Amino acid sequence: MLLTGRRALLDAARAQAATRPGVLLHGPAGIGKSALVDALVDALLDPLVDVDARPDVLATTPAVLRCAPAAPDAGLPFAGLVDLFAPVPDRRLDALPPEPRAALRAALLRGREPADGRGLLAVRLAVLDVLRALAATGPLLLVVDGLQWLDEPTAEVLAFAMRHLRADRGPGPGIRMLATERVADGGQPGRLRCCPAGTVELPVPPLTDGETARLVRADLDAELPPALLRAVQQTAAGNPYYALELGRAARHARTPAGFPAAPPVPPRLRDLLLAEARSLPEPVLRTLLVASAAARPTLTLLRAAGLPDPAADLARAERLGIATADADGVVRFHHPVLRAAVHADAPEHGRRQAHALLARAVTASVERARHLALAHPYEDEATARTLIAAAGSARRDGAPGAAHDLAALAVRRTPAGLPAERAERLLAAAEYACDAGLTQEAAEAAGAVLARSDSAARRVRARLVLLRGAGQALEGAGDLIEEGLKDAAGDPGAEAALHHWAAVRGLLCGELAQAARHARRAARQAAAAGDTDTAVGALATLARVRSLGGRPDAADAALGEALALAGGADGGPESRRLVRMRAILALDSDRVTEARDQVVRLLAAIGGSAGAEELLATRVALTRIQVRAGHCREALHTAAHCARVMAEAAPALYAAALAATAGGTAEEARRLAARAVRASEADGDRLFLLRALAVLGQAELLGGDPHGAAAAVEALQRVRELGEAMSAADPPLLHWYADLAEALAVLGETDAAEEVLHDARARVTEGAPGSVLAALERAEGLREAALGRAKEGAVRLHAAVDLLRRLPLPVELVRTLIALGAVERRARRRNAARAALAEALETAGRIGAAPLAVRAGDELARLDAGERGGEAGGPELTPTEARIAELVGGGATNREVAAELFISVKTVEGALSRVYRKFGVRSRTALAHAMAVAVLASGAAAVDTADDDQPRTVATSMTISQPQRPRDPRTLDTRP
């Protein structure tokens, strides 16, 4: 638990400790240095200890000498040395010369100090001799956890020993050292001299917010409310010790409502942080309290609050490391936890007075209202009205988080005798929380209104908040919408909003006919209510439904109508969403450049003004465009931006997986796609589930082997089933059908591949994009080749290549060239195969398509092996034929082969018949014999064709075409 977020640093430190003489971990108090050094000792101790190889003296002497000085030890001479040398037995000291022995024994409190005054030098020499002797007999690890508290005499002894050990070149493995030192944030160690020359310095960084959350969650074995967790993260600022202390105190606390919000600081932590500060004069403590209560404390604000000399007060506090005022007069606490501790340590009446002073001093209405509420922590309608008005101002100013906090305070200050006002303010808090992405707070507030309100209109508003907060997970929201429509009867605006949510739910759940019906009704009722925003949203949803149903023209018409209502392309966030949708329609129609230009302009226009969801959707769209355009390196970069916005969201994971299929590795793509599938399933989002499953299938196909093809079939069959259930027929779905047919062909399931292709062809409409036709043609060609009709297969693949050369889709072109090269190679048309594969490799390298570069390189290697082996190795087999032949030759039955490869027994029988024909045999025994002969002949041919002084073997030209596992594309030179 204490190593949460430290795995990479621990691995780096361990690697350094194995090669460097010392490792010094440094950072502020509580950052986790001791936990890291403990883990390092555990990791290094086992390989260091080898008692059997040691002389008798070390059989009872630990390989680790360790000390952990504390603050009270710093003034005690040789306290650290006594601790460090405690395991060293007296008999080891007895081997020293008399004078150093006596001095060291005195320093270790094992004898009297020498009378001649030369004791300090003698101690240094004695320590040096002991360390040399121990290191000569086996590895020795010195551990000093807390160099900052090491007493000065011990520090000087260690520094002397480290200087003189540097020149040693003894036969033993020598001395290594692990040390920690407390330094201020951004500071440098002050006692590096106590470490061996060449010691590496490793700063221990703060944890990220995500790591802090995991640490607290693991410690409590429970979840904190989101607001409290955020407060812990902000106050701990990445310090694990502070995070644990704050998290434990927050377990039973209420949601913080301070300004700034802060978690409770437990007395134990306050005692540690403020032990010296509590002795400061009362005016200084008051200045610190008022500064801790202010959102943006400055000297000017503190003077306006009535404090006579805040600069002098802060100068006193700075000497204790509490807070300071910079050259611009801005007050800064040295750590956020100090600010929270100062505020928590004051009595309740003192905190109220501080907020009252600030309420009179600040000029911003929002901040004034907050301080007013905290200065009067009781029900008061005047205060509540002030707070809710300030919340509205904050929302209009683009600060929904502050608006939610103020509205939540307004609810608490509303008298119990005013239930209607309380419900209205609770709804406002819920809506502001939704705006700010505070989904749990929004759900709690809306749920409270829904459970208690007798107003149908308020219940509708509450349900709309709950629907907004559900995000993509709308599958279970049917009852929520139906009950809302009952409450909304007769109110066209409310009905329009609910019908729109019903349309969105239908789209995500694959109920396209219902989605279209709800979207049209929502648009009509919104127009009747004068609600332009909802009308635009409904038309946009209708466009998505029509696009998914394979009606791009109708989709574009709906988008055009929506854009006109929204005020054109520059009409705001809703207009931007429509532009993004139009770009995707262009992409699906192979107008890649047009799509890219639209999305790039869109990103430039939104800048930093977009919310997280809009930014993520736009970057996901750009990733899709870059992959299809062959900008594989740029796609990886864009997908990384998606992860930074919402790392665990299904769209971000999908984008990362898609980019990895183009420019990363097959393994990475499979891992990310599987996570995207799980996230989509958890959300009930069938639209992104389709995409995630499709990219998982593409990732599995990258290897070109039967096992990958079987996994691809499993994923892509689900795509087919979902698509049919949704009545989908858009271009991406038809591409995925082609991938499924290709995977089935690789497995030899030619009948099933034919069925998929027939189904896909039936869904192709007039004017279908060229990329769809090329993908289907590629799959047809691979199916023909799998049936043994290589010539017919090559003709279809050539047609697909010719079609793709006219389109700006280089990744698709490379895929098809690789397929063509493999088919031509197996047909022994080696020149044609080499031309196709060489073009594929060159293009893949130029566009950064690393996984496809690996595939092309592997196919070329097989081609070279076949050419070196000549015809001696026997016939060429497809990957599935080769695997079936191998299993049958090993004695497996047809049923066992089918189970192993996840194919039908019928497919095994058909493939085995083709293998028999290729080898000219009629039985399993004859096949095994023929394969053995082919391998031997191939090996002999390979040696004969090698250089005389460099004999080597190559893969059989029979090409049991089982591809190697893809190499890491980052080891390839894929530059143009």
Side-chain angles (χ1 to χ4, degrees):
M1 179 182 68
L2 293 175
L3 292 176
T4 298
R6 299 301 192 207
R7 183 54 54 190
L9 179 59
L10 180 60
D11 290 344
R14 186 176 180 178
Q16 294 286 1
T19 58
R20 302 289 285 271
V23 173
L24 173 58
L25 298 161
H26 61 86
I31 202 66
K33 303 180 294 297
S34 295
L36 278 166
V37 86
D38 287 345
L40 271 175
V41 171
D42 290 342
L44 296 173
L45 188 56
D46 283 345
L48 282 174
V49 175
D50 185 0
V51 174
D52 293 338
R54 292 180 176 181
D56 181 65
V57 66
L58 280 183
T60 58
T61 303
V64 177
L65 299 182
R66 179 169 189 158
C67 70
D73 303 335
L76 302 176
F78 293 120
L81 191 62
V82 170
D83 195 11
L84 192 68
F85 269 46
V88 179
D90 283 339
R91 63 178 177 273
R92 169 54 63 190
L93 306 186
D94 292 342
L96 295 168
E99 188 173 346
R101 179 176 67 241
L104 181 55
R105 287 176 62 84
L108 298 177
L109 303 180
R110 302 182 191 181
R112 291 186 300 174
E113 185 176 358
D116 58 8
R118 295 183 293 172
L120 185 56
L121 177 58
V123 170
R124 295 180 182 183
L125 292 171
V127 168
L128 179 61
D129 284 348
V130 171
L131 293 178
R132 280 173 172 159
L134 293 175
T137 57
L140 179 65
L141 183 64
L142 300 180
V143 181
V144 182
D145 186 11
L147 283 174
Q148 75 279 0
W149 300 128
L150 201 63
D151 61 274
E152 193 58 34
T154 300
E156 290 303 325
V157 167
L158 275 180
F160 176 87
M162 295 304 115
R163 288 196 303 273
H164 288 80
L165 286 169
R166 176 171 49 189
D168 287 1
R169 294 292 185 270
I175 298 172
R176 281 182 282 180
M177 186 174 187
L178 300 179
T180 70
E181 185 174 351
R182 180 186 299 181
V183 300
D185 282 324
Q188 294 298 315
R191 283 194 157 172
L192 186 61
R193 71 184 190 279
C194 298
C195 302
T199 290
V200 63
E201 302 173 53
L202 295 178
V204 183
L207 300 178
T208 65
D209 281 350
E211 291 163 350
T212 299
R214 288 196 295 276
L215 177 68
V216 172
R217 189 180 301 119
D219 181 59
L220 300 181
D221 194 23
E223 295 280 354
L224 288 177
L228 266 176
L229 178 59
R230 284 192 298 274
V232 168
Q233 291 167 329
Q234 292 165 6
T235 306
N239 187 295
Y241 174 71
Y242 297 158
L244 290 172
E245 290 291 314
L246 294 169
R248 290 162 189 165
R251 185 201 302 260
H252 304 296
R254 295 191 319 162
T255 300
F259 195 179
V265 183
R268 178 172 60 181
L269 186 54
R270 298 206 304 266
D271 291 344
L272 176 68
L273 296 170
L274 303 177
E276 293 183 85
R278 287 169 176 161
S279 63
L280 289 169
E282 192 280 332
V284 178
L285 291 175
R286 191 179 192 197
T287 296
L288 287 173
L289 174 59
V290 175
S292 75
R296 292 169 292 278
T298 63
L299 292 177
T300 301
L301 176 62
L302 297 181
R303 292 190 192 98
L307 302 178
D309 194 357
D313 294 340
L314 288 165
R316 295 283 298 272
E318 183 177 6
R319 288 194 284 272
L320 297 182
I322 304 296
T324 186
D326 64 19
D328 296 324
V330 177
V331 179
R332 303 186 190 281
F333 285 83
H334 288 183
H335 192 281
V337 77
L338 288 167
R339 180 182 199 157
V342 166
H343 194 267
D345 209 46
E348 176 63 25
H349 73 272
R351 291 196 291 269
R352 291 186 195 178
Q353 288 175 356
H355 287 295
L357 291 174
L358 289 167
R360 292 195 294 269
V362 297
T363 57
S365 61
V366 169
E367 192 174 349
R368 184 188 305 117
R370 189 74 169 270
H371 286 304
L372 180 65
L374 295 173
H376 303 89
Y378 44 79
E379 293 181 356
D380 178 73
E381 177 59 14
T383 302
R385 282 197 299 269
T386 301
L387 284 165
I388 202 65
S393 297
R395 181 64 189 88
R396 288 190 292 276
D397 291 342
H404 163 258
D405 291 345
L406 290 164
L409 277 173
V411 173
R412 292 177 191 155
R413 299 298 180 266
T414 303
L418 299 173
E421 288 80 357
R422 188 180 185 88
E424 281 293 324
R425 290 161 189 168
L426 199 53
L427 273 173
E431 290 165 347
Y432 298 151
C434 214
D435 292 340
L438 307 174
T439 54
Q440 184 166 331
E441 289 91 333
E444 288 172 357
V449 173
L450 193 59
R452 301 188 189 101
S453 179
D454 57 1
S455 164
R458 290 194 191 104
R459 290 197 300 271
V460 168
R461 284 176 61 193
R463 289 189 176 95
L464 290 173
V465 168
L466 292 172
L467 289 166
R468 285 179 62 195
Q472 306 284 92
L474 289 173
E475 188 171 16
D479 291 344
L480 198 64
I481 294 170
E482 287 183 18
E483 292 299 318
L485 285 169
K486 292 176 185 176
D487 277 339
D491 181 346
E495 287 187 274
L498 287 162
H499 277 296
H500 183 208
W501 277 111
V504 172
R505 179 187 174 278
L507 173 67
L508 295 177
C509 296
E511 301 163 358
L512 296 190
Q514 293 182 36
R517 186 170 64 253
H518 283 294
R520 286 192 293 268
R521 188 165 180 181
R524 287 196 303 270
Q525 289 184 302
D531 184 352
T532 302
D533 289 345
T534 301
V536 168
L539 287 168
T541 302
L542 180 61
R544 293 182 70 188
V545 172
R546 287 173 170 170
S547 171
L548 196 60
R551 300 174 60 196
D553 292 341
D556 195 63
L559 284 175
E561 186 179 347
L563 266 173
L565 276 176
D570 300 323
E574 192 59 39
S575 294
R576 296 196 292 264
R577 184 164 76 98
L578 300 172
V579 170
R580 186 172 63 246
M581 290 176 65
R582 272 197 152 172
I584 293 300
L585 283 177
L587 177 68
D588 291 345
S589 299
D590 296 342
R591 303 196 308 274
V592 180
T593 303
E594 176 186 335
R596 182 182 180 279
D597 290 346
Q598 289 179 358
V599 173
V600 168
R601 283 197 301 270
L602 192 58
L603 274 173
I606 63 179
S609 65
E613 289 187 3
E614 182 183 0
L615 190 59
L616 176 62
T618 307
R619 290 197 180 278
V620 169
L622 182 57
T623 304
R624 292 175 61 186
I625 293 166
Q626 288 168 332
V627 167
R628 295 206 71 204
H631 302 155
C632 303
R633 302 180 187 91
E634 292 89 337
L636 288 171
H637 180 71
T638 304
H641 275 291
C642 294
R644 284 196 284 272
V645 176
M646 295 174 71
E648 295 304 314
L653 291 167
Y654 158 76
L658 183 64
T661 64
T665 67
E667 180 56 39
E668 183 183 19
R670 283 191 289 268
R671 177 177 56 80
L672 290 165
R675 287 173 60 194
V677 168
R678 291 194 294 271
S680 301
E681 288 173 332
D683 287 346
D685 183 346
R686 296 187 186 179
L687 196 58
F688 260 103
L689 179 58
L690 268 177
R691 296 176 182 175
L693 286 167
V695 78
L696 178 58
Q698 292 165 4
E700 296 287 4
L701 274 173
L702 283 171
D705 59 280
H707 284 294
V713 167
E714 183 178 356
L716 293 166
Q717 284 285 21
R718 290 187 65 190
V719 172
R720 183 187 184 192
E721 292 163 5
L722 284 169
E724 289 176 352
M726 296 167 66
S727 301
D730 60 337
L733 190 78
L734 297 176
H735 279 282
W736 303 333
Y737 273 43
D739 290 341
L740 173 57
E742 179 176 332
L744 289 165
V746 169
L747 290 175
E749 296 273 11
T750 52
D751 289 347
E754 182 181 22
E755 180 194 346
V756 172
L757 288 168
H758 180 270
D759 188 12
R761 295 281 187 191
R763 293 170 183 265
V764 173
T765 57
E766 186 178 352
S771 61
V772 168
L773 302 178
L776 295 174
E777 198 73 359
R778 179 177 65 233
E780 294 271 18
L782 289 169
R783 177 181 171 275
E784 291 283 358
L787 286 167
R789 299 195 288 263
K791 181 177 180 181
E792 292 84 347
V795 168
R796 284 189 174 276
L797 287 165
H798 273 294
V801 166
D802 291 342
L803 184 54
L804 287 167
R805 289 193 196 284
R806 301 194 293 271
L807 298 172
L809 305 170
V811 172
E812 289 297 306
L813 176 60
V814 170
R815 277 188 66 183
T816 309
L817 285 167
I818 291 172
L820 174 60
V823 169
E824 296 282 33
R825 174 181 61 76
R826 288 196 289 270
R828 298 189 182 279
R829 291 190 285 270
R830 302 193 187 282
N831 289 338
R834 183 171 299 283
L837 293 172
E839 182 182 352
L841 183 60
E842 186 278 328
T843 305
R846 174 166 46 80
I847 66 177
L852 291 176
V854 170
R855 281 288 309 281
D858 286 345
E859 288 291 341
L860 278 168
R862 293 189 191 96
L863 180 62
D864 291 339
E867 288 179 346
R868 287 196 298 269
E871 300 299 320
E876 301 247 8
L877 306 180
T878 69
T880 299
E881 289 171 350
R883 183 64 177 140
I884 288 172
E886 179 184 346
L887 292 170
V888 167
T893 66
N894 288 2
R895 190 172 299 280
E896 288 169 339
V897 173
E900 170 72 17
L901 299 183
F902 300 100
I903 56 180
S904 69
V905 174
K906 181 181 177 182
T907 297
V908 175
E909 293 168 349
L912 197 54
S913 296
R914 291 193 297 275
V915 172
Y916 284 173
R917 285 198 303 272
K918 290 181 179 181
F919 277 97
V921 299
R922 307 177 76 176
S923 70
R924 292 169 181 261
T925 304
L927 174 62
H929 177 73
M931 288 177 65
V933 170
V935 171
L936 289 172
S938 175
V943 172
D944 287 343
T945 57
D947 294 339
D948 291 341
D949 58 345
Q950 296 290 332
R952 61 188 183 274
T953 59
V954 296
T956 171
S957 66
M958 176 179 67
T959 311
I960 296 185
S961 290
Q962 190 72 17
Q964 306 164 19
R965 293 303 297 172
R967 300 186 298 274
D968 186 343
R970 287 166 290 195
T971 65
L972 299 176
D973 185 0
T974 55
R975 293 170 295 179

